[in-house]
Amino acid sequence: MKIVTKAYLLIAILIAVAAFNLLLLYQDDKSDVSQSYSIIRAGDVKVKAELISSLATSIASGNVEDKDDFVNQVEEIESTLSKIKNGGIIKNQLLERIPPTLINDYNRVETSWQKYKDSVLEVEKSSIFDPEATAAMNYILQKNQDLVLLTNNMVNEFEGLDRNFNEHKQIAKDLAECAKIIGQQTLLLSIGEEEDAQSELVEKNLKFEIGIRKLLQVSTLDLDVESVGATHEELEPIPRENSEALRKLDPLWEAIKLRVQTLEEKSLLSPEFNSAKIEMNLQKNILFEEIDSLLNAWNNEITSKGSEKFIIIQILLIVDIAVFFLVLFIIRQSLSPLEIITKALSKVKEGIYGEKIQYSGTDEIGQLIDNFNIMSDTIKIKEEEAKKTDIAKDEFLAMITHELKTPLVPIQGYADILLGEHLGKLTEKQRERIGIIKSSSETLLSIISDLLDAQKLDLGQLKMKKQLANIKETIDKAITSFKPEFEKNNVEVTTNLVDVKINHDPERIEQVMTNLIKNSLNVIKPGSGKIDIQLEDSPSEIKVSVKDNGVGIPKEKQNDLFKKFYQVDATLTREKGGSGLGLAICKGIIDNHQGVISVSSAPNQGATFSFTIPKEESKSTKSPVST
């Protein structure tokens, strides 16, 4: 019998059993359905109760537009509870009156709801923020810019003092840094990052107070200087002509210090709101417990009434089990040859080809096995041919690379010896010609290295030595190596980097940055070129961008940028050099870091190359290139 015929027969059996089950189970009446609807709606009360607690908190924080939604949800809950008790229709579903045996459970739910509603209304009417702490925070945020400006002016005023005032200068710089951090931590407090920000604020407040007292010749004996690594000391008075910013800073700090102390002592959340919210959560838990108790009692009620159906269910279960085993037996008999094919496919997956499967049938399985045997033999032949080709290619690449590298070593060595004038003085013309020899050999060595890296990427042999390191230092190292070229071509370089420790291969990421910066240098004009390097830190990844004001890249050519040997402008490549492998290697390195490399550009508007590295590597081993 054909497999298709067997399948149709099995389907017919399953349909017949299903129809029989439906016929026997069609004894449930409308009362059972209505009670099920009532139980579902009682469970929905918990969902809506959770929602109104969120809406009450939102209204307390100032979102008055949630008021109408809040009122509607409260009314819906009360309407639902009423219909559960007395019966009714919700969303075209008939709810049956609650059984008399459950009326006491329902009354407890209704009482708990009233208490919960009262507590929610208290939260809704309270103010979420403490007025005094909020006012202090707003004052600090408003005055922090003045504080930063005055501390920076003080640093500038102290620059003209002699070395006897070096300690004063250092304190002024520390105060400027503290002023910035105080503003940052206050901003963090305003967005809810209270715990860490508050402790940092306490420390910077004490450091600032110690520093300004020392500059003003005020005693610090009443301050805990050791807790922040400082000491008690008396400094030489600052000349009046260099203390104008300090005199302005003193009263401003006194005002800000009082507000900082307020934030140290008080939380932004008001005590009234916290108390009301705790009570609301308590009443909510009680309400949920009473609803669960009602639902359990109701389910037990339904179960007790359904005992007469237990025998029918047992019969159906026996029939279903018998049919299941029958179908299982037929399927096993029909598909047992597939187990043989699966084992053969596992061997193919492991690289074992050419083993034939023995099967005497002429059905679809037999045809499949014949095709599999042919495929296995074909793959074995192709695999052997591919191995020979790969071996020959690898041997040729290794040979040609070695042959190209071997003469470069003495060429570079002798060029360095000649340029160092160890064999005698050189004329300017000789020095220029030898410099060309050295530069050309370095270019050729770079091309050979790119070829090797590209080959290793294709073979999956490019090694990554990932470690938890500061990626800012990796980027800085790449930028530093180009400083002579920046100065020579009068290129304006701007950076915006932050310290971020992330798992990466510093050497390979430096290689990526070097390629991107070199590409930008090749397309910008000396004297007017600009390169902007940015590092963005987000919770899930970091993003590095290299932007230039060069000639740009047409949209139609961007899709092929990361392919090997692809060059946008062959003329520019001949002038500046390059193998067309740099971006392909960059893509391979970023892929191995589970990241994405992309380009954004338009003709005559420059180009921005960006890549990301996730902070937690995904399970996949490749990432797509986006444009």
Side-chain angles (χ1 to χ4, degrees):
M1 184 184 293
K2 294 290 186 179
I3 292 178
V4 174
T5 305
K6 292 179 182 178
Y8 285 148
L9 178 60
L10 291 175
I11 292 172
I13 293 174
L14 292 175
I15 292 175
V17 172
F20 180 70
N21 289 343
L22 289 174
L23 180 63
L24 293 178
L25 292 176
Y26 192 68
Q27 300 175 11
D28 293 341
D29 54 20
K30 293 183 180 180
S31 176
D32 292 336
V33 176
S34 298
Q35 288 195 41
S36 298
Y37 288 154
S38 298
I39 291 174
I40 292 172
R41 295 307 166 196
D44 288 345
V45 171
K46 293 175 65 176
V47 178
K48 293 184 181 294
E50 189 72 51
L51 176 60
I52 67 170
S53 68
S54 300
L55 291 173
T57 303
S58 176
I59 296 170
S61 63
N63 297 320
V64 294
E65 62 273 12
D66 291 332
K67 180 70 174 180
D68 292 340
D69 195 13
F70 172 79
V71 173
N72 291 336
Q73 292 297 331
V74 171
E75 291 176 351
E76 283 188 20
I77 290 178
E78 293 186 330
S79 174
T80 300
L81 290 174
S82 175
K83 291 177 180 178
I84 289 174
K85 180 180 180 181
N86 302 314
I89 296 176
I90 298 179
K91 295 182 179 179
N92 297 322
Q93 294 176 345
L94 178 63
L95 273 63
E96 186 175 324
R97 181 191 297 269
I98 192 169
T101 55
L102 302 178
I103 196 65
N104 291 333
D105 296 280
Y106 172 82
N107 289 336
R108 287 195 295 271
V109 170
E110 192 169 38
T111 301
S112 299
W113 159 247
Q114 292 300 328
K115 292 180 179 180
Y116 175 62
K117 184 176 72 171
D118 293 340
S119 65
V120 169
L121 292 174
E122 285 298 321
V123 170
E124 181 249 346
K125 291 186 290 185
S126 63
S127 176
I128 193 169
F129 296 113
D130 183 275
E132 187 176 351
T134 303
M137 179 189 66
N138 291 334
Y139 183 86
I140 294 172
L141 292 176
Q142 290 171 2
K143 296 297 183 180
N144 182 253
Q145 186 64 33
D146 296 337
L147 186 66
V148 172
L149 182 61
L150 283 175
T151 52
N152 287 334
N153 289 343
M154 183 171 62
V155 171
N156 295 332
E157 287 181 352
F158 286 6
E159 288 297 326
L161 298 174
D162 58 32
R163 62 182 181 180
N164 293 329
F165 293 90
N166 285 344
E167 181 66 20
H168 300 69
K169 295 177 182 179
Q170 183 59 47
I171 291 175
K173 292 179 181 178
D174 291 342
L175 291 181
E177 182 64 23
C178 284
K180 294 177 183 177
I181 296 176
I182 286 172
Q184 293 169 357
Q185 299 308 314
T186 304
L187 186 60
L188 287 176
L189 280 174
S190 70
I191 61 174
E193 300 289 338
E194 191 164 340
E195 183 176 352
D196 294 336
Q198 198 164 24
S199 60
E200 181 77 4
L201 193 61
V202 171
E203 179 185 348
K204 297 307 176 184
N205 176 36
L206 180 56
K207 282 188 176 181
F208 200 101
E209 178 67 13
I210 293 170
I212 197 169
R213 282 197 188 185
K214 289 181 179 180
L215 295 178
L216 293 170
Q217 283 75 52
V218 178
S219 173
T220 59
L221 293 177
D222 61 324
L223 300 178
D224 185 12
V225 297
E226 289 82 3
S227 65
V228 292
T231 59
H232 300 292
E233 59 182 329
E234 293 184 4
L235 302 180
E236 185 176 338
I238 302 168
R240 184 173 181 79
E241 60 271 16
N242 297 99
S243 62
E244 181 181 354
L246 178 59
R247 292 194 301 273
K248 293 180 180 179
L249 180 62
D250 184 25
L252 176 61
W253 170 244
E254 287 299 323
I256 291 178
K257 180 176 67 174
L258 294 175
R259 273 68 176 192
V260 173
Q261 290 172 350
T262 299
L263 290 182
E264 292 175 5
E265 297 167 357
K266 293 190 174 184
S267 171
L268 281 178
L269 295 179
S270 68
E272 295 80 5
F273 173 78
N274 280 330
S275 176
K277 188 175 181 181
I278 291 172
E279 177 64 19
M280 177 184 71
N281 290 332
L282 175 62
Q283 295 301 328
K284 179 175 66 177
N285 291 333
I286 294 174
L287 174 62
F288 286 1
E289 289 175 1
E290 295 298 344
I291 291 175
D292 290 339
S293 177
L294 173 63
L295 294 178
N296 289 334
W298 209 332
N299 284 323
N300 292 335
E301 181 82 8
I302 294 175
T303 302
S304 64
K305 291 182 179 179
S307 58
E308 64 274 8
K309 300 175 184 176
F310 183 69
I311 297 175
I312 298 176
I313 294 175
Q314 285 184 320
I315 294 173
L316 290 177
L317 181 60
I318 294 172
V319 172
D320 289 343
I321 291 174
V323 172
F324 171 78
F325 279 108
L326 175 63
V327 172
L328 182 64
F329 175 76
I330 297 173
I331 291 175
R332 186 174 181 80
Q333 288 295 108
S334 301
L335 301 181
S336 58
L338 293 179
E339 184 177 353
I340 302 174
I341 298 176
T342 301
K343 292 180 179 179
L345 286 172
S346 299
K347 291 184 178 180
V348 170
K349 184 179 179 181
E350 295 171 359
I352 302 174
Y353 309 114
E355 292 188 3
K356 295 184 178 297
I357 301 174
Q358 303 299 326
Y359 183 74
S360 58
T362 58
D363 56 7
E364 295 93 330
I365 298 294
Q367 296 173 7
L368 178 61
I369 289 175
D370 290 341
N371 291 332
F372 174 83
N373 289 334
I374 295 172
M375 177 197 72
S376 181
D377 291 339
T378 303
I379 292 176
K380 183 178 181 181
I381 295 171
K382 296 296 182 182
E383 179 73 11
E384 291 174 353
E385 293 176 355
K387 286 182 179 179
K388 292 178 181 179
T389 302
D390 288 340
I391 292 172
K393 181 176 68 173
D394 292 341
E395 290 176 349
F396 173 77
L397 182 60
M399 177 193 70
I400 197 66
T401 303
H402 177 73
E403 294 301 322
L404 287 171
K405 271 191 169 182
T406 300
L408 287 178
V409 176
I411 290 173
Q412 288 184 320
Y414 282 118
D416 288 333
I417 292 173
L418 291 172
L419 289 173
E421 298 186 341
H422 296 292
L423 301 180
K425 294 288 183 179
L426 298 176
T427 65
E428 287 300 322
K429 192 168 185 180
Q430 290 172 333
R431 181 177 294 278
E432 179 186 354
R433 296 296 187 269
I434 296 173
I436 293 173
I437 292 173
K438 181 181 178 183
S439 175
S440 299
S441 65
E442 290 175 345
T443 301
L444 183 56
L445 184 61
S446 175
I447 293 174
I448 293 171
S449 298
D450 284 349
L451 284 169
L452 282 172
D453 284 345
Q455 180 67 10
K456 289 177 181 178
L457 282 169
D458 286 343
L459 299 175
Q461 298 175 352
L462 189 65
K463 295 181 179 180
M464 296 289 163
K465 298 178 180 179
K466 297 180 182 178
Q467 59 187 24
L468 186 63
N470 191 339
I471 195 166
K472 177 179 180 293
E473 296 176 0
T474 303
I475 298 172
D476 282 335
K477 188 176 179 182
I479 296 173
T480 302
S481 66
F482 283 96
K483 280 189 176 180
E485 293 188 50
F486 294 154
E487 295 173 357
K488 177 182 176 182
N489 297 308
N490 194 20
V491 175
E492 179 184 343
V493 180
T494 57
T495 62
N496 183 15
L497 307 177
V498 294
D499 291 304
V500 181
K501 284 193 174 183
I502 191 170
N503 194 30
H504 71 288
D505 185 333
E507 182 178 343
R508 292 301 181 184
I509 296 301
E510 181 183 348
Q511 182 180 358
V512 173
M513 290 300 302
T514 300
N515 277 331
L516 297 182
I517 295 173
K518 185 185 296 183
N519 287 346
S520 293
L521 279 172
N522 287 340
V523 298
I524 60 177
K525 295 180 181 179
S528 62
K530 295 180 180 180
I531 298 177
D532 180 41
I533 302 173
Q534 300 282 334
L535 171 60
E536 300 176 22
D537 182 21
S538 66
S540 59
E541 65 183 12
I542 61 101
K543 180 178 181 181
V544 180
S545 302
V546 179
K547 181 180 180 181
D548 60 61
N549 64 340
V551 297
I553 304 169
K555 187 70 176 179
E556 64 273 11
K557 294 187 177 182
Q558 293 178 18
N559 290 332
D560 297 324
L561 271 180
F562 298 96
K563 294 180 180 178
K564 288 196 299 185
F565 305 109
Y566 182 78
Q567 296 171 342
V568 175
D569 188 343
T571 303
L572 183 63
T573 303
R574 288 195 295 271
E575 291 176 358
K576 302 290 185 177
S579 61
L581 292 171
L583 289 177
I585 294 172
C586 289
K587 175 188 178 298
I589 293 172
I590 298 303
D591 283 348
N592 273 277
H593 283 75
Q594 314 302 316
V596 178
I597 187 167
S598 60
V599 60
S600 174
S601 179
N604 301 317
Q605 295 183 16
T608 300
F609 283 85
S610 304
F611 65 86
T612 62
I613 299 178
K615 292 184 176 179
E616 293 184 5
E617 293 187 355
S618 62
K619 295 182 180 178
S620 62
T621 57
K622 292 289 180 182
S623 298
V625 173
S626 63
T627 57

